[in-house]
């Protein structure tokens, strides 16, 4: 294209319809048949008899064909056009009958046609139906003035033709009628009737040519042409030069024959040629150069009629004849009609001018006062009009934009898309898509690009654009999109955006690159930062960690925050096929990230340290984004479980372990409802005398293979979850590793079952005479849990009739955030009922000293970590001895848990420990073995060399020595 604007508005050509070829074939057939008849008539048909047959019955057959065609078409449509085509059918039928009568006389009877005859009556009936049919097809006036103008226009044309015809021939026929000769009056009347009806028909044809309806326009035009051809042949027939020498079969008959065939073709051929609206033709009709001469002919019609009338009068004057009164009267009426019509037109023009001025002022006010910019582009793409709002919207004056190529103002990156949309819009049918909407960037007066939204309409082959500045809206949408895809605290991509980028990396052009890796990162010790220096400091640490992470990854990689203190990184592959080298490289990147994130942070004027546990997973063939992220998450939790502050690569067995834990959690839920849990008791023995001073209730899960799983087995996942829950805000959706943890409701349900079973069996033992307290382990969080009804422990003791001092609650306080005020009040209420309180896990955790200082505690239970190394480690020996001195100084009993070796018994007794629990005395016992042990009452206490521990039972029972009290225990024999 010569200019960008022309390229902008160039339309693609439309595919032509297959029906056009059929219409062209019909036109060619019509032309061939009409030309053949004309050639035959010109050559005389070869004989007089054939000429008479073709001149009479040939015309009759053509008229019959036209009548049948119009009648059939009228029955096939259901609109206001039906009466018109029925009238055309009747008119053609009259012509058919007239020619048939004419042929009857000339061909069958061999006589001359009498005048007047039945044929003349049929021919006279041809014109009136055709005139009425044309009136039906015409566009009806909507006002009285319109009807008056229609009548005046008809008379102007008819009167002018009457004046001319009267001067040439009709006056002679009238004088012949006045001569008084025999038969002259009917013949003269017939001679006058033919031209007068033809004049009326010609008048209607000319008037209605400019007032035809838009409906089925091609068919109406063809019908008007057919009637015009018929009238022309009638005019030549009635002229003095041909009427006396006319014979059937002459060349004049070719005009009537062609007119009938054309009328028969009009409805069907026109409909085949134009079955659907043509958008291209419609667009061309809107162009400014659409035949201006044709549009001016209706305005010139009155003046042409007056000119013809004047010529008729001048003909009489120049010929030296006396001006006929008919001519004078007709001329005067034509002039009077012309004056009246011009007066009506003048009044209409004045009213239209005023209305146009009002509408123009109205729309000018709307356009100039609108905040939107209205532009009109020519077909070449040049701006022809720009509203004044352009100065405020674009920063450019409207006069400056007029004459500019529209394409030069659009951003080059948007121009191709805009051109495609405009071409598609212009090619679409206007009725189906009157407008379209385009959004692009537009150059402003300051040189910057504005986001502009435009509504586009067609206008004379060009475009009307109603544009508005939507830059702020686009910016707001971009901000909302950014907020939806980024973490509000660190401005890193969030989980949703990170997941989408992982999916793109796996499914895009890197789909075959299996060296892409995902890193999951968790900050170790972040929970302590929140607890010690506050959440505000924790947020500052997260922001700084995010900045370090963002600075450490490459430009094409993605760093994201998934929630809480969990981050992630997408490391795109390099296309290499050496898996080991790539793993080594990614491991180095991850270790460098770990080192960077583990550097000290300067928060609130103090130095804060956290570590980073990182899990790495690679994009194996066929892996999904969710599976890849799950693998990295599993590797990260394996790094935390392996000691934290380390990098762990994903291995398939990690997923197998997760599946095993998930199955175990599911089985745990089923076991709770199916009663698969068993209650065992482990004796607490006096280190001085060996007497059983209490029993500790422990839950066991009986497997299908007869194995009793310990709490270390079926609650390990929950314990790891509670111990490793280092995070501030909750993560978005949680991690895969946490999905298999039994929920709090299941753990609470197991705790309730353990307490109820322990109290119930202890009450039965008391009724049997075994007055040994039962100890039940319970966490401080569980004791204060609101889901546990207040007074439930008290109600349980009352319901089972357990006496005072028969229940010991081993309280585990591992969380420093436990509200000690509430816990102290709760324990005081229980002690008033005679419940003894033992502080479990003394010597480990953050809250042991605070709990000892504030809570009402009756006994201390040493942590098994102190007991296990009390013999081998001198340092641990001194720590344990110091803790035992504290208990003795406070007047409390002390219980050592996990006493498995005789050496430990002797060392603890030497330090002042009063009681012990472990395999050095007995393992967990079922109810039967426990009662036998209670009957015995004591266990042997090692005093020198190590002795095997008796697990109870008959002399033939099993003697088992274990290294830990939480290993799997075989099911005792019944």
């Amino acid at each position: 294209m010569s200019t960008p604007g022309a390229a902008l508005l160039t339309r693609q050509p439309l595919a032509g319809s297959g029906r056009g070829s059929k219409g062209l074939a019909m036109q060619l057939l019509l032309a061939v048949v009409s030309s053949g008849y004309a050639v035959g008539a010109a050559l005389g048909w070869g004989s007089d008899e054939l000429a008479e047959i073709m001149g009479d019955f040939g015309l009759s057959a053509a008229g019959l064909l036209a009548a049948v065609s119009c009648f059939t078409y009228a029955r096939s449509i259901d609109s206001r056009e039906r009466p018109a085509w029925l009238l055309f059918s009747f008119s053609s039928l009259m012509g058919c009958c007239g020619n048939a009568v004419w042929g009857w006389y000339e061909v069958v009877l061999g006589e001359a046609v009498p005048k007047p005859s039945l044929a003349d009556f049929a021919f006279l009936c041809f014109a009136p139906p055709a005139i009425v049919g044309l009136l039906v097809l015409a566009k009806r006036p909507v006002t009285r003035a319109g009807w008056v103008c229609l009548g005046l226009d008809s008379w102007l044309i008819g009167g002018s033709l009457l004046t001319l015809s009267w001067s040439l021939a009709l006056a002679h026929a009238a004088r012949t009628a006045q001569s008084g000769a025999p038969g002259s009056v009917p013949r003269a009347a017939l001679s006058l009737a033919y031209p007068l009806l033809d004049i009326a028909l010609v008048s209607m044809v000319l008037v209605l040519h400019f007032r035809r309806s838009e409906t089925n326009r091609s068919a109406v035009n063809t019908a008007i042409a057919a009637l015009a051809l018929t009238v022309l042949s009638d005019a030549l027939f009635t002229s003095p030069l041909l009427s006396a020498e006319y014979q059937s079969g002459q060349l004049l008959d070719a005009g009537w024959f062609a007119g009938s065939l054309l009328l028969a073709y009009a409805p069907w051929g026109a409909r085949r040629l134009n079955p659907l609206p043509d958008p291209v033709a419609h667009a061309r009709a809107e162009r400014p150069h659409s035949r201006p001469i044709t549009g001016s002919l209706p305005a010139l019609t009155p003046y042409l009629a007056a000119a013809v009338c004047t010529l008729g009068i001048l003909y009489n004057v120049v010929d030296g004849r006396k001006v006929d009164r008919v001519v004078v009267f007709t001329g005067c009426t034509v002039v009077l009609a012309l004056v009246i019509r011009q007066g009506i037109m003048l009044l209409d023009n004045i009213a239209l001018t005023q209305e146009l001025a009002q509408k123009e002022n109205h729309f000018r006010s709307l356009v100039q006062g609108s905040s939107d910019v209205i532009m009109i582009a020519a077909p070449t793409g040049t701006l022809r009009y720009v509203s004044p709002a352009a100065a405020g919207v674009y920063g450019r004056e409207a006069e400056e934009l007029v004459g500019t190529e529209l394409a030069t103002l659009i951003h080059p990156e948007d121009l191709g898309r805009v051109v495609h949309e405009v071409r598609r819009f212009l090619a679409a049918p206007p009725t189906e898509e009157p407008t379209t909407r385009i959004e692009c960037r537009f150059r402003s007066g300051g040189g910057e690009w504005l986001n502009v939204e435009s509504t586009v309409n067609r206008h004379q082959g060009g475009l009307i654009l109603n544009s508005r500045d939507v830059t702020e809206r686009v910016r707001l949408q971009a901000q909302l999109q950014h907020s939806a895809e980024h973490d509000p605290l660190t401005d890193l991509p969030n989980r949703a955006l990170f997941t989408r980028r992982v999916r793109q990396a796996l499914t895009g052009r890197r789909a075959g690159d299996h060296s892409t890796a995902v890193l999951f990162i968790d900050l170790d010790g972040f929970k302590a930062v929140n607890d010690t220096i506050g959440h505000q400091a924790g947020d500052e640490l997260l922001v700084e960690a995010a900045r370090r992470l963002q600075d450490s990854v490459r430009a094409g990689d993605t760093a994201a925050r998934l929630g809480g203190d969990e981050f992630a990184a997408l490391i795109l592959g390099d296309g290499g096929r050496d898996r080991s080298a790539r793993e080594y490289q990614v491991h180095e990147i991850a270790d460098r990230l770990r080192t960077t994130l583990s550097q000290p942070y300067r928060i609130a004027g103090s130095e804060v340290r956290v570590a980073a546990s990182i899990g790495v997973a690679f994009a194996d063939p066929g892996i999904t984004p969710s599976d890849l992220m799950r693998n990295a998450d599993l590797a990260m939790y394996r790094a935390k479980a392996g000691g934290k502050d380390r990098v762990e690569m994903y291995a398939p067995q990690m997923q197998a372990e997760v599946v095993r834990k998930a199955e175990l959690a599911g089985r745990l839920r089923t076991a709770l409802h199916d009663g698969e849990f068993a209650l065992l008791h482990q004796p607490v023995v006096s280190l001085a005398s060996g007497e059983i001073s209490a029993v500790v209730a422990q839950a066991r899960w009986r497997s299908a293979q007869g194995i009793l799983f310990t709490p270390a087995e079926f609650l390990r996942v929950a314990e790891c979850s509670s111990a490793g829950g280092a995070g501030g805000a909750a993560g978005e959706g949680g991690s895969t590793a946490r999905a298999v943890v039994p929920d709090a409701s299941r753990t609470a349900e197991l705790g309730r079952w353990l307490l109820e079973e322990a109290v119930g069996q202890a009450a039965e033992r008391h009724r049997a005479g075994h007055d040994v307290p039962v100890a039940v382990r319970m966490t401080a969080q569980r004791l204060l849990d609101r889901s546990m009804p207040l007074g439930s422990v008290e109600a349980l003791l009352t319901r089972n009739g357990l006496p005072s001092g028969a229940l010991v609650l081993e309280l585990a306080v591992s969380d420093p955030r436990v509200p000690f005020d509430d816990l102290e009040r709760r324990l005081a209420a229980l002690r008033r009922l005679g419940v003894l309180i033992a502080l479990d896990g003394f010597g480990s955790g953050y809250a042991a000293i605070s709990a000892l200082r504030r809570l009402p505690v009756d006994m201390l239970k040493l942590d098994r970590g102190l007991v296990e190394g009390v013999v081998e480690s001198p340092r641990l020996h001194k720590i344990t001895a110091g803790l035992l001195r504290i208990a003795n100084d406070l007047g409390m009993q002390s219980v050592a848990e996990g006493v498995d070796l005789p050496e430990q018994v002797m060392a603890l007794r030497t330090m002042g420990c009063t009681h012990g629990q472990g395999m050095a005395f007995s393992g967990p016992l079922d109810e039967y073995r426990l009662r036998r042990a209670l009957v015995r009452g004591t266990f042997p206490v090692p005093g020198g060399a190590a002795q095997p521990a008796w697990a109870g039972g008959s002399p033939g029972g099993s003697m088992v020595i274990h290294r830990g009290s939480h290993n799997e225990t075989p099911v005792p024999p019944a």
Side-chain angles (χ1 to χ4, degrees):
M1 303 300 294
S2 59
T3 63
L8 179 64
L9 297 181
T10 300
R11 288 171 294 187
Q12 299 295 333
L14 295 176
S17 174
R19 298 183 180 181
S21 59
K22 297 181 180 179
L24 182 60
M26 291 185 62
Q27 290 179 350
L28 291 176
L29 178 62
L30 178 65
V32 168
V33 173
S34 300
S35 300
Y37 190 96
V39 171
L43 298 178
W45 296 105
S47 65
D48 293 339
E49 291 80 4
L50 181 59
E52 288 180 352
I53 292 174
M54 294 303 298
D56 294 334
F57 292 111
L59 293 181
S60 180
L64 182 60
L65 178 63
V68 172
S69 175
C70 293
F71 181 77
T72 305
Y73 177 70
R75 294 195 60 183
S76 65
I77 61 176
D78 187 14
S79 64
R80 61 180 297 268
E81 297 181 12
R82 174 183 288 184
W85 293 104
L86 289 176
L87 291 170
F88 291 155
S89 174
F90 180 75
S91 178
S92 300
L93 183 62
M94 290 296 99
C96 168
C97 294
N99 285 299
V101 172
W102 199 289
W104 173 262
Y105 282 104
E106 287 191 342
V107 177
V108 177
L109 300 180
E111 301 175 356
V113 180
K115 292 187 179 180
S117 65
L118 189 60
D120 294 320
F121 174 77
F123 288 142
L124 289 176
C125 291
F126 171 82
I131 294 173
V132 177
L134 290 174
L135 286 173
V136 172
L137 290 177
K139 185 185 297 184
R140 299 178 181 179
V142 295
T143 61
R144 294 181 180 179
W147 285 103
V148 172
C149 289
L150 177 62
L152 293 175
D153 290 341
S154 302
W155 174 244
L156 285 173
I157 297 174
S160 59
L161 293 177
L162 177 61
T163 303
L164 186 60
S165 300
W166 188 273
S167 301
L168 295 176
L170 297 183
H172 176 72
R175 286 193 292 270
T176 302
Q178 293 176 356
S179 62
S184 59
V185 175
R187 293 177 180 174
L190 189 61
S191 300
L192 290 175
Y194 276 118
L196 290 177
L197 289 176
D198 288 339
I199 289 173
L201 185 58
V202 169
S203 301
M204 295 308 303
V205 167
L206 293 177
V207 170
L208 298 180
H209 174 69
F210 306 111
R211 292 178 176 268
R212 61 189 181 277
S213 174
E214 297 296 332
T215 306
N216 204 2
R217 192 167 185 173
S218 299
V220 174
N221 288 340
T222 307
I224 290 176
L227 294 176
L229 185 60
T230 303
V231 169
L232 178 61
S233 301
D234 286 345
L236 294 176
F237 172 75
T238 56
S239 66
L241 298 177
L242 297 179
S243 60
E245 300 178 358
Y246 171 77
Q247 292 182 358
S248 297
Q250 291 183 347
L251 186 60
L252 184 59
D253 292 345
W256 285 314
F257 184 81
S260 297
L261 291 184
L262 191 60
L263 185 60
Y265 163 80
W268 309 103
R271 189 169 64 172
R272 287 178 178 269
L273 283 174
N274 193 20
L276 296 172
D278 187 2
V280 176
H282 179 78
R284 291 175 179 173
E286 293 182 351
R287 295 181 180 178
H289 48 277
S290 58
R291 297 182 299 175
I293 296 178
T294 304
S296 61
L297 282 178
L300 294 177
T301 301
Y303 302 100
L304 293 175
V308 171
C309 185
T310 304
L311 289 176
I313 298 175
L314 290 177
Y315 175 80
N316 285 277
V317 174
V318 173
D319 196 28
R321 300 177 182 177
K322 181 180 179 182
V323 179
D324 194 277
R325 287 178 295 178
V326 176
V327 174
V328 173
F329 177 77
T330 304
C332 292
T333 54
V334 167
V335 173
L336 180 61
L338 179 62
V339 172
I340 296 174
R341 190 184 187 283
Q342 291 301 107
I344 295 175
M345 290 184 60
L346 179 60
L347 295 176
D348 286 344
N349 289 337
I350 294 174
L352 289 175
T353 302
Q354 293 176 351
E355 183 180 358
L356 181 61
Q358 291 178 356
K359 290 185 178 180
E360 183 178 359
N361 292 333
H362 176 70
F363 286 107
R364 185 182 300 275
S365 300
L366 290 178
V367 170
Q368 293 181 352
S370 174
S371 59
D372 294 347
V373 180
I374 299 175
M375 299 181 293
I376 299 178
T380 59
T382 304
L383 294 177
R384 297 189 305 182
Y385 172 79
V386 179
S387 66
V393 176
Y394 299 147
R396 306 179 68 173
E397 296 296 333
E399 294 78 7
E400 179 185 351
L401 291 175
V402 174
T404 306
E405 297 291 342
L406 181 59
T408 61
L409 303 175
I410 300 175
H411 196 283
E413 296 179 1
D414 300 338
L415 183 59
R417 175 172 53 82
V418 173
V419 170
H420 179 270
E421 175 61 20
V422 170
R423 288 179 174 176
R424 185 202 62 79
F425 170 66
L426 293 178
T431 55
E432 296 180 3
E433 191 173 5
T435 63
T436 189
R437 190 179 300 274
I438 295 175
E439 188 169 335
C440 63
R441 285 168 287 181
F442 200 88
R443 188 190 300 275
S444 67
E448 66 272 10
W449 294 100
L450 302 176
N451 293 94
V452 175
E453 182 184 66
S454 302
T455 302
V456 184
N457 295 270
R458 300 173 180 84
H459 176 68
Q460 296 182 356
L463 300 174
I464 296 180
L465 297 96
N466 192 346
S467 306
R468 62 200 63 85
D469 183 10
V470 294
T471 304
E472 290 301 324
R473 188 193 71 187
V474 172
R475 290 176 182 172
L476 179 59
Q477 289 177 346
Q479 292 176 359
L480 294 176
Q481 183 70 19
H482 182 84
S483 299
E485 296 179 342
H486 289 75
D487 176 60
L489 178 62
T490 62
D491 202 39
L492 290 180
N494 58 15
R495 182 182 294 271
L497 180 56
F498 184 77
T499 304
R500 184 162 65 250
R501 291 188 179 177
V502 172
R503 183 178 297 106
Q504 292 172 355
L506 297 182
T507 59
R509 57 186 179 88
R510 298 178 178 270
D513 187 1
H514 306 308
S515 59
T516 296
V518 170
L519 280 62
F520 265 48
I521 307 163
D522 187 87
L523 299 182
D524 303 322
F526 177 74
K527 176 179 178 297
V529 175
N530 278 340
D531 295 338
T532 54
I533 60 177
H535 290 274
Q536 179 64 34
D539 290 344
E540 294 180 11
L541 189 148
L542 290 176
V543 172
E544 177 62 21
R547 185 191 62 79
R548 294 184 186 183
L549 179 61
Q550 183 68 49
D551 294 341
S552 300
V553 299
R554 300 173 301 179
D557 299 335
T558 300
R561 182 191 179 209
L562 304 184
D565 59 341
E566 292 186 358
F567 295 86
L570 173 64
I571 309 298
L572 298 179
D574 56 2
R577 298 184 179 272
D578 191 348
R579 177 64 179 266
S580 60
R582 180 58 177 169
E583 288 183 356
Y584 178 78
Q585 179 186 6
V586 173
H587 192 280
E588 280 192 336
I589 295 175
D591 196 63
R592 187 168 60 252
L593 284 176
R594 182 193 61 79
T595 304
T596 302
L597 294 174
S598 300
Q599 295 296 322
Y601 295 83
R602 196 70 181 175
I603 305 296
S606 61
E607 189 176 274
V608 179
R609 290 181 177 271
V610 294
S613 296
I614 301 178
V616 182
F618 284 92
D620 295 327
I623 195 170
T624 63
S626 59
D627 290 342
L628 178 59
M629 295 174 63
R630 179 205 61 196
N631 294 345
D633 198 13
L634 291 176
M636 184 265 289
Y637 274 95
R638 175 58 64 89
K640 293 180 71 67
K644 304 181 181 180
D645 192 18
R646 55 181 297 183
V647 176
E648 189 77 29
M649 308 293 289
Y650 171 76
Q653 58 266 26
M654 295 181 184
Q655 177 61 22
E657 183 179 351
V658 170
V659 173
R660 186 187 68 83
K661 290 181 179 180
E663 293 176 352
L664 187 61
R667 290 169 57 194
L668 174 61
R669 288 192 294 269
T670 304
L672 283 171
H673 291 90
D674 295 346
E676 297 179 4
F677 280 92
L679 187 65
L680 302 182
H681 294 83
Q682 188 173 24
V684 178
V685 179
S686 172
L687 298 183
S689 62
E691 294 181 359
I692 301 175
S693 59
V695 292
V696 179
Q698 297 178 0
R700 292 295 186 268
W701 181 12
R702 190 186 306 274
S703 68
Q705 292 78 20
I707 302 298
L708 291 179
F709 290 101
T710 66
E713 280 290 327
F714 60 78
L715 292 181
R716 180 181 294 120
V717 179
E719 291 172 359
C720 292
S721 173
S722 62
E732 297 175 10
S735 61
T736 306
R738 293 173 183 169
V740 301
V741 178
D743 53 28
S745 62
R746 301 300 177 187
T747 307
E749 186 177 352
L750 179 60
R752 286 194 297 270
W753 176 88
L754 176 62
L755 180 61
E756 291 176 358
E757 287 292 319
V759 171
Q761 292 186 18
E764 292 180 1
R765 288 194 298 270
H766 272 270
R767 286 191 288 270
H770 302 294
D771 299 331
V772 179
V774 61
V776 180
R777 189 178 186 274
M778 182 176 293
T779 63
Q781 291 86 348
R782 172 64 185 151
L783 191 60
L784 296 176
D785 190 0
R786 294 183 178 180
S787 63
M788 183 177 181
L790 188 63
S792 58
V793 177
E794 295 85 341
L796 184 63
L797 295 175
T798 304
R799 184 170 65 250
N800 290 275
L802 194 65
S804 176
L807 176 63
V808 180
L809 289 183
E810 295 182 350
L811 186 65
V813 183
S814 59
D815 191 348
R817 295 176 297 179
V818 172
F820 280 97
D821 294 337
D822 297 340
L823 184 58
E824 183 179 3
R825 288 191 294 269
R826 182 75 177 115
L827 294 178
L830 292 175
R831 289 191 70 194
R832 286 194 293 269
L833 294 177
V835 178
L836 301 178
I837 307 299
L839 185 59
D840 189 32
F842 186 69
S844 66
Y846 299 98
I849 300 301
S850 298
L852 184 61
R853 180 176 61 88
R854 301 188 56 182
L855 300 180
V857 178
D858 298 299
M859 64 186 68
L860 297 180
K861 195 167 186 179
L862 292 179
D863 185 78
R864 74 171 44 252
L866 298 176
V867 177
E868 288 175 352
V870 71
V871 177
E872 294 84 0
S873 173
R875 178 183 293 273
L876 196 58
H877 186 282
K878 292 180 180 180
I879 294 174
T880 306
L883 294 175
L884 290 173
R885 281 195 300 271
I886 292 175
N888 291 331
D889 292 343
L890 294 175
M892 298 181 181
Q893 294 182 357
S894 56
V895 180
E897 183 180 5
V899 182
D900 298 332
L901 300 176
E903 294 86 350
Q904 295 172 346
V905 174
M906 292 184 293
L908 290 169
R909 184 174 54 187
T910 303
M911 296 177 192
C913 183
T914 60
H915 295 82
Q917 171 191 345
M919 299 304 297
F921 305 104
S922 173
L925 305 174
D926 62 3
E927 187 66 21
Y928 173 77
R929 294 186 176 219
L930 176 63
R931 294 203 177 192
R932 291 188 60 184
L934 292 176
V935 170
R936 183 181 181 90
T938 60
F939 285 95
V941 178
Q947 300 180 13
W950 178 62
S954 62
S958 61
M959 301 288 293
V960 183
I961 299 177
H962 296 274
R963 298 291 299 175
S965 60
H966 287 281
N967 294 327
E968 292 183 359
T969 305
V971 179

